[in-house]
Amino acid sequence: MTTHRIALIPGDGIGNEVIPAARRVLETAGARHGITLTYDSFDWSCERYVKEGAMMPPDGLDTLRSYDAILLGAVGYPGVADHVSLWGLLIPIRRTFQQYVNLRPIRVFDGVPSPLRSAEAGEVDFAIVRENVEGEYSEIGGRLNRGLPEEMAVQEAVFTRKGVDRVVDYAFGLARERRGGLTSATKSNGIVHTMPFWDERVAERAARYPEVRWEQEHIDALAAKFVLAPGRFDVVVASNLFGDILSDLAAALAGSIGIAPAANLNPERDFPSMFEPVHGSAPDIAGRGIANPLGAIWSAAMMLDHLGHAEAAGRITAAIAAVLATTSVRTPDLGGTATTDEFTDALIALL
């Protein structure tokens, strides 16, 4: 038996419904593959912020440091500003633990029609690699002359050689393992310093991966090509902002943001990595037991793969594909009437 310690942060809203579903799937897969997962759950959330004035306790990051991985549900709560939840929990975890790769697989499944007529199951299957700790989402900047006609806001983007090189290397390595194609998102025709620097670093690192075909696309044209020809992509690498936008667009093209997973990776494994669905806390349906658990379950499969259990992870993703392709069980976001538990039961039966 192999044992891993997992920190659970269900968070807010439907996070408290989809994380238990993912845990059930993990326990089923673990029993078949000799994997034991032990869990500690933390109530770090916007609700905690309302009660105690902080998303997590002062020693929260030190507490997480000893775990093998972190599985997060969702954060967001009416009355709590989004920047509070992001900068009070997610960003400190990502940056302290150097989770500089945000990996988002995009796939059109049989049984989940894409809103695009041309995007069919088996034809759209790519991955977005987003730089996750620097770029446009820096803390450098400020506000001046608040409330006056001269009021201004300054936000600085930060791109370092180390930061760009390591995420680009990861993307090229992933492309080499997949179908051998990489697309770099840029905007060097309009952003005069950071994006030419990004392009230079991509071109230099590409020389180390002669077996990978690569191209660069301006972000506006790339967004259009996601819609017009999503099947042409294999691996897309992008800065923090560009990757954030492209990954949500791609999830919608795949049929539902409710099934989209994400991994915040520290590839060197010096620190724990964090895995999370990207659907948000959905306060409008929270507590009704109808949330789609697939995003959390797929994220849990990515966690198993990162922990070295590729076969178990593959069984879970195969069960996801099977439950969508061979059954009519669907949660309301996918046009059905199944509850979260009923959908999870159907997937576990196939698993």
Side-chain angles (χ1 to χ4, degrees):
M1 298 290 288
T2 302
T3 301
H4 300 285
R5 296 181 65 232
I6 309 300
L8 296 180
I9 307 177
D12 298 297
I14 64 170
N16 294 282
E17 301 166 45
V18 298
I19 289 300
R23 181 172 172 175
R24 288 179 58 203
V25 173
L26 285 170
E27 289 171 350
T28 302
R32 290 196 58 168
H33 292 271
I35 306 164
T36 298
L37 302 176
T38 64
Y39 304 93
D40 291 311
S41 188
F42 301 94
D43 68 345
W44 305 346
S45 61
C46 291
E47 291 195 58
R48 186 187 190 279
Y49 175 84
V50 171
K51 295 176 183 177
E52 303 187 31
M55 296 288 294
M56 61 179 169
D59 64 348
L61 295 173
D62 288 334
T63 299
L64 292 177
R65 194 179 300 270
S66 63
Y67 286 88
D68 295 307
I70 304 161
L71 186 60
L72 181 136
V75 291
Y77 191 74
V80 177
D82 289 341
H83 70 271
V84 170
S85 60
L86 192 64
W87 288 89
L89 185 66
L90 297 185
I91 288 182
I93 292 173
R94 290 169 178 172
R95 295 188 174 182
T96 298
F97 298 141
Q98 287 297 292
Q99 297 169 354
Y100 60 84
V101 169
N102 184 270
L103 177 63
R104 297 198 186 184
I106 305 298
R107 179 176 169 186
V108 173
F109 286 98
D110 188 11
V112 181
S114 167
L116 300 177
R117 291 191 300 270
S118 61
E120 297 183 2
E123 295 182 3
V124 178
D125 183 355
F126 63 97
I128 296 176
V129 175
R130 166 191 170 193
E131 200 290 317
N132 208 34
V133 298
E134 56 176 45
E136 301 89 349
Y137 294 174
S138 82
E139 299 176 67
I140 301 173
R143 299 272 295 272
L144 297 174
N145 302 319
R146 290 175 184 261
L148 300 176
E150 298 81 10
E151 185 172 4
M152 63 181 292
V154 176
Q155 181 77 47
E156 299 286 352
V158 176
F159 287 72
T160 67
R161 180 184 289 244
K162 176 181 178 181
V164 176
D165 285 1
R166 63 188 182 181
V167 75
V168 168
D169 280 342
Y170 181 91
F172 270 109
L174 181 62
R176 183 170 56 191
E177 295 171 3
R178 287 173 52 94
R179 301 191 304 275
L182 181 138
T183 303
S184 172
T186 185
K187 191 57 181 171
S188 50
N189 61 342
I191 301 177
V192 69
H193 297 303
T194 56
M195 285 291 100
F197 175 72
W198 172 278
D199 293 348
E200 292 165 11
R201 300 314 309 152
V202 172
E204 180 173 315
R205 304 312 288 184
R208 299 169 177 248
Y209 304 89
E211 66 275 45
V212 176
R213 309 175 311 278
W214 73 280
E215 61 182 353
Q216 66 182 41
E217 292 276 4
H218 290 138
I219 183 64
D220 42 357
L222 182 56
K225 290 176 182 178
F226 266 30
V227 175
L228 295 173
R232 64 173 283 188
F233 298 105
D234 183 14
V235 174
V236 178
V237 64
S239 68
N240 209 332
L241 176 62
F242 292 171
D244 193 4
I245 295 169
L246 287 174
S247 54
D248 278 4
L249 170 61
L253 298 181
S256 171
I257 201 168
I259 69 175
N264 302 276
L265 301 176
N266 173 248
E268 294 79 15
R269 304 170 192 270
D270 296 327
F271 304 101
S273 294
M274 179 169 63
F275 303 82
E276 56 174 324
V278 301
H279 49 54
S281 60
D284 56 322
I285 63 168
R288 297 169 58 189
I290 59 172
N292 187 341
L294 275 186
I297 292 169
W298 195 354
S299 298
M302 295 177 73
M303 181 181 75
L304 280 183
D305 186 61
H306 179 74
L307 293 172
H309 305 291
E311 184 179 354
R315 284 187 180 274
I316 293 175
T317 54
I320 290 172
V323 76
L324 294 172
T326 65
T327 79
S328 60
V329 181
R330 299 286 188 277
T331 46
D333 64 302
L334 296 178
T337 59
T339 65
T340 305
D341 287 342
E342 289 169 345
F343 192 91
T344 305
D345 289 343
L347 189 146
I348 287 175
L350 292 170
L351 180 64

